[in-house]
Amino acid sequence: LLAERRKNDGFSGLWLCADSGSLRSGDASVEMAMTIAEVIADLRVEDAQASFKKDKDMIDDAIRQMSGGFPRMDAYLRSHLVEALTSMKDSFDQKFNTVLDKLKDVNAQPTISISSAFLASMAASK
């Protein structure tokens, strides 16, 4: 595959990115990650479209020439998505657990101060 061919060419693999960040680095939103995952789970590269027929033909020809062809490309995309989602989940779990630990720690010193006027206004709005 491309990653195998380009290991020594500075190629770092498949990065799945969205406006909210990269799935691989754990920065994307959970909603965006799930949307991408649902699309790729049902994706068949062979059925993908391109803006121009010549581009579609060029991509399809390149994939056909690869060992394993379209099934291997589909598996490649899915396996990298699994890696990205696992990385994202690990990052989220770590952040989530840190927040839970802070909330559970009754001896923790607050890092921000909240004015009594703010607390009064919050209570009054209920």
Side-chain angles (χ1 to χ4, degrees), residues 1 3 7 19 22 30 40 48 58 62 68-70 76-79 86 105 118 121:
L1 289 171
K7 278 183 183 172
D19 290 343
S22 163
V30 172
I40 291 182
M58 178 190 64
F70 287 103
Y76 173 81
L77 291 173
R78 286 185 179 86
S79 70
T86 300
D105 186 358
F118 173 76
S121 71

Side-chain angles (χ1 to χ4, degrees), residues 55-68:
D55 292 339
K56 167 83 170 139
D57 293 342
M58 178 190 64
I59 294 166
D60 286 355
D61 289 343
I63 293 172
R64 280 187 195 101
Q65 292 176 18
M66 293 169 40
S67 173

Side-chain angles (χ1 to χ4, degrees), residues 28-109:
S29 73
V30 172
E31 293 82 11
M32 181 57 69
M34 294 307 296
T35 299
I36 292 170
E38 288 171 5
V39 168
I40 291 182
D42 294 329
L43 178 74
R44 283 178 27 111
V45 175
E46 191 169 9
D47 297 335
Q49 298 177 3
S51 299
F52 300 100
K53 184 176 179 343
K54 67 178 181 171
D55 292 339
K56 167 83 170 139
D57 293 342
M58 178 190 64
I59 294 166
D60 286 355
D61 289 343
I63 293 172
R64 280 187 195 101
Q65 292 176 18
M66 293 169 40
S67 173
F70 287 103
R72 184 162 181 208
M73 181 58 75
D74 291 341
Y76 173 81
L77 291 173
R78 286 185 179 86
S79 70
H80 279 70
L81 180 60
V82 167
E83 289 176 19
L85 288 175
T86 300
S87 174
M88 184 175 184
K89 180 184 180 303
D90 292 346
S91 175
F92 176 80
D93 286 347
Q94 182 180 8
K95 291 174 187 174
F96 195 82
N97 288 334
T98 299
V99 170
L100 286 178
D101 290 344
K102 283 182 182 180
L103 290 170
K104 291 176 187 176
D105 186 358
V106 295
N107 297 319
Q109 297 297 316

Side-chain angles (χ1 to χ4, degrees), residues 13-28:
L14 179 65
W15 284 79
L16 300 165
C17 299
D19 290 343
S20 58
S22 163
L23 272 71
R24 190 175 186 187
S25 64
D27 298 328

